[in-house]
Amino acid sequence: NLTNVNAAFVSDNSFFGLTAPLQGHRYRIGVEQYFGDYDFTTLLVDARKYFYLKPITFAVRGLGYGRFGGNSDQVYPLYAGSSYFVRGYTRQVFDGDTTGLIERIAGSKLGIANAEIRIPFTGPRALSLIKSNFLITDLNFFFDAGIAFYDKTSFQEEDPTPFDGREHYVHKPILSTGVSLRVNLFNYLVLEPYFAFPISAPEGQRQWVWGLNFIPGW
C-alpha cells in the first residue's frame, strides 16, 4: 500500500544530436513524499551541461538523490553500480569478491558524477566524421564516479545496515573509465555497448568488462 505526491522544477534548453544532447543544459530539482506502508521523503538534484566544440561535445553530469525520514532505510537499497550511473560494475566484477564491494555501493542515498567526450562517429555529413545514411552512432570516452550510503554510515566505522541489520563495510566512492558506442536504431531505440575498467574493483576483479545500456545518452 503506497501512494505519493511530487513536484519538480525543470529547465532544458539542450539540442539533441544523434544519440545524446549536443549543446546547452538540463536540470531537475524535485521532491517527493511517500505515504502508506513506507513513509518518507525523496529529494533529487540532477544537472547536466553540454559544451559543443564542433564536432566534439564535452558533457558533464552531477546527480544527487536521497530518501529521508520515516522508514526510508527499510526500502530496497539504491545501487551506485547501475550501468546508468557508473559503468563497469557488472556481475563479472563481483564473482569471487570477498571484500564486500557490493555492500559498499548500496544505500538510501546516491551521489553521481559523470564526464564524457562525445564524437559523432557515423551519420549525417553535417555532424559526423563518417557519412552514413543507415548507421547512426556516437563514439564516447567516459569517466564515471558514484557513492551510495545510509543515514548512519560514518564513512569511517562499520555500522549495521539499516535495511537488513547485517554488518556492512565502510562506504567509499567507486570510479570507472572506458569507451562506448551509442547506436541510434531508426529513432526508436538507442543501444550503448561499452567497454569499461572498474577502477575501484578489488584487485583480483580489476579488469576490462563489456556491458550494454538501452537508453539515450544523458
Side-chain angles (χ1 to χ4, degrees), residues 77-81 101-110 147-150 153 161 168 171:
L78 304 168
Y79 179 55
L101 175 62
I102 197 166
E103 285 85 1
R104 296 176 188 271
I105 55 179
S108 61
K109 297 166 183 62
L110 283 175
I147 188 169
F149 56 96
Y150 293 97
T153 300
T161 302
H168 69 79
H171 290 210

Side-chain angles (χ1 to χ4, degrees), residues 1-81:
N1 179 23
L2 196 65
T3 59
N4 68 304
V5 293
N6 66 80
F9 182 80
V10 180
S11 177
D12 187 346
N13 73 347
S14 61
F15 295 89
F16 206 85
L18 303 179
T19 67
L22 280 178
Q23 185 175 344
H25 74 260
R26 308 167 81 185
Y27 66 82
R28 181 184 185 94
I29 303 171
V31 62
E32 193 166 22
Q33 178 64 47
Y34 286 85
F35 306 92
D37 292 337
Y38 295 103
D39 186 351
F40 61 92
T41 304
T42 71
L43 178 64
L44 170 70
V45 179
D46 184 348
R48 302 111 182 258
K49 179 67 176 176
Y50 313 102
F51 303 90
Y52 186 47
L53 307 172
K54 188 177 181 180
I56 293 172
T57 291
F58 179 63
V60 292
R61 175 177 71 170
L63 182 152
Y65 178 79
R67 300 167 178 158
F68 300 90
N71 53 358
S72 59
D73 284 339
Q74 297 175 20
V75 184
Y76 198 81
L78 304 168
Y79 179 55

Side-chain angles (χ1 to χ4, degrees), residues 52-188:
Y52 186 47
L53 307 172
K54 188 177 181 180
I56 293 172
T57 291
F58 179 63
V60 292
R61 175 177 71 170
L63 182 152
Y65 178 79
R67 300 167 178 158
F68 300 90
N71 53 358
S72 59
D73 284 339
Q74 297 175 20
V75 184
Y76 198 81
L78 304 168
Y79 179 55
S82 164
S83 61
Y84 181 64
F85 297 138
V86 181
R87 285 158 285 195
Y89 290 83
T90 63
R91 180 175 298 181
Q92 178 182 350
V93 173
F94 299 108
D95 286 345
D97 175 41
T98 60
T99 66
L101 175 62
I102 197 166
E103 285 85 1
R104 296 176 188 271
I105 55 179
S108 61
K109 297 166 183 62
L110 283 175
I112 303 296
N114 309 96
E116 285 189 354
I117 297 174
R118 298 171 175 171
I119 305 172
F121 192 51
T122 61
R125 172 58 70 186
L127 290 176
S128 306
L129 297 181
I130 302 174
K131 182 180 178 181
S132 174
N133 295 325
F134 302 101
L135 186 60
I136 311 298
T137 66
D138 279 341
L139 181 65
N140 312 284
F141 299 91
F142 63 82
F143 180 83
D144 297 336
I147 188 169
F149 56 96
Y150 293 97
D151 286 335
K152 297 180 180 179
T153 300
S154 67
F155 302 102
Q156 296 177 349
E157 299 177 358
E158 295 181 356
D159 294 325
T161 302
F163 178 65
D164 56 17
R166 295 183 303 176
E167 185 177 276
H168 69 79
Y169 294 86
V170 175
H171 290 210
K172 295 180 180 179
I174 56 171
L175 310 173
S176 73
T177 189
V179 61
S180 75
L181 185 72
R182 292 193 179 101
V183 183
N184 186 326
L185 296 181
F186 311 108
N187 290 326
Y188 285 104

